[in-house]
Amino acid sequence: MNKIPNIINGQKIAQNIISSTATKVAKFHKANNVRPGLVVILVGDNPASAVYVARKEDVARKIGFSFTLKQLPNSASQGDVVRCIQGYNAQQDCHGILVQLPLPNHINAMHVLSSVAPNKDVDGLHPHNFGRMAMGLPALYPCTALAIMDCINSCLPDVKGLNVAIVGKSNLVGKPLAIMLSNMDATVALCHKDTQNIKQYTQNAQIVVVAIGVPGHITRDFLQEGATVIDVGITIVDDVATGDVLFDDVASKVKNITPVPGGVGPITVARLMANTFDAMVNNWTGNNKQD
């Protein structure tokens, strides 16, 4: 009989974070008459980006945020985007700024992300926040990496001493997650497209995180028995959302696994809301601020 793995319920984890944040928002608003203000800047008309932004807006409004979508045309210059960000940097009722990625090819994403005020960088991608994270200091951490940690923590009480293989070294996922896990005394292998024999790393890992955007790339022969697998990839194949892990193939071999969809994605949105609330509390400059 095939073993049935523990399916990590991202929807449930996300709802717990959202409910907690909503309670904090209501309490803070009652005491100070201030709501978290989240601004999302969307450049161009990428259909997938529009869907992701709509999800964020829906959650933000439901839990009592003030939400603003600032949409710029695909023809907007890098300077146009930076000037837009600078305007919101100076706006007191804006507590969090998120630049929806990807940006058009003619815009340098790192330059744009670096123009967001660090205390409003709720996506956690500003070099200032990245550096503080690397040193284990308080900061706004990247939402997807936080969501992955939520998935891991839901089924593993401690990562200290565990081997972790991360496949994909992006600034959004791989690099920040490697830092966070290393700070927690896990032993991390950060793999990428030029890594030779990736299987030697994944087969030696109790935790495998995959974020490469290649549907079904990770099969059971990549994994050790009883591994915990976090699948961050999501690609639409024949109108079906598909992960980087071949779920049916690995299910009988792993102990814990995230589904696609319904795994990391919902938690990432929830973490964005929690980051925005934290940014407001930490940096609020309203007239009724209590010293």
Side-chain angles (χ1 to χ4, degrees):
M1 180 181 294
N2 288 340
K3 295 182 298 181
I4 299 175
N6 169 48
I7 308 300
I8 298 170
N9 190 335
Q11 297 283 5
K12 182 177 180 180
I13 295 170
Q15 191 53 55
N16 288 339
I17 296 169
I18 289 168
S19 296
S20 174
T21 303
T23 299
K24 294 175 183 176
V25 168
K27 183 177 179 180
F28 193 91
H29 179 257
K30 183 177 180 179
N32 303 291
N33 197 31
V34 175
R35 295 186 182 279
L38 175 61
V39 174
V40 174
I41 297 172
L42 177 61
V43 184
D45 53 4
N46 183 307
S49 292
V51 171
Y52 296 145
V53 170
R55 290 176 185 166
K56 292 165 185 173
E57 179 176 7
D58 181 57
V59 175
R61 293 193 184 281
K62 282 181 178 177
I63 63 175
F65 280 31
S66 169
F67 182 92
T68 300
L69 170 60
K70 179 63 177 180
Q71 187 157 10
L72 300 175
N74 193 72
S75 59
S77 69
Q78 183 168 288
D80 292 334
V81 181
V82 169
R83 282 187 289 274
C84 177
I85 290 170
Q86 289 172 338
Y88 287 114
N89 282 343
Q91 193 168 310
Q92 286 193 358
D93 60 354
C94 167
H95 306 106
I97 301 170
L98 181 142
V99 180
Q100 183 66 41
L101 301 175
L103 290 167
N105 291 333
H106 65 279
I107 295 176
N108 183 311
M110 194 66 253
H111 181 82
V112 166
L113 294 173
S114 297
S115 70
V116 177
N119 61 349
K120 298 187 179 187
D121 168 40
V122 289
D123 224 8
L125 298 177
H126 191 284
H128 174 86
N129 285 319
F130 228 87
R132 289 184 63 85
M133 175 184 64
M135 298 182 72
L137 297 172
L140 292 167
Y141 286 14
C143 298
T144 303
L146 286 172
I148 295 167
M149 288 305 308
D150 287 325
C151 291
I152 294 172
N153 291 335
S154 74
C155 53
L156 295 175
D158 191 1
V159 299
K160 184 176 182 178
L162 297 185
N163 293 330
V164 183
I166 303 171
V167 185
K169 65 169 187 175
S170 72
N171 290 337
L172 283 169
V173 181
K175 289 179 183 176
L177 183 63
I179 291 169
M180 291 167 65
L181 286 164
S182 294
N183 286 345
M184 299 174 72
D185 296 323
T187 301
V188 182
L190 183 56
C191 305
H192 47 82
K193 62 182 178 64
D194 294 320
T195 301
Q196 297 182 17
N197 190 13
I198 288 177
K199 287 183 182 179
Q200 70 177 313
Y201 300 100
T202 57
Q203 289 172 346
N204 189 49
Q206 289 98 345
I207 303 171
V208 177
V209 180
V210 192
I212 53 175
V214 180
H217 182 74
I218 300 298
T219 52
R220 65 185 291 114
D221 56 311
F222 277 82
L223 306 170
Q224 67 171 248
E225 191 78 25
T228 292
V229 179
I230 311 297
D231 189 353
V232 190
I234 184 165
T235 307
I236 303 302
V237 179
D238 297 328
D239 296 325
V240 176
T242 305
D244 291 345
V245 178
L246 196 59
F247 186 95
D248 290 341
D249 185 51
V250 310
S252 63
K253 191 172 186 179
V254 303
K255 184 175 182 180
N256 308 291
I257 188 169
T258 55
V260 176
V264 175
I267 311 174
T268 299
V269 175
R271 279 297 174 189
L272 172 64
M273 303 305 151
N275 269 1
T276 304
F277 177 80
D278 289 343
M280 177 191 67
V281 172
N282 291 336
N283 302 288
W284 181 46
T285 57
N287 292 331
N288 296 321
K289 181 176 179 181
Q290 300 297 311
D291 294 327

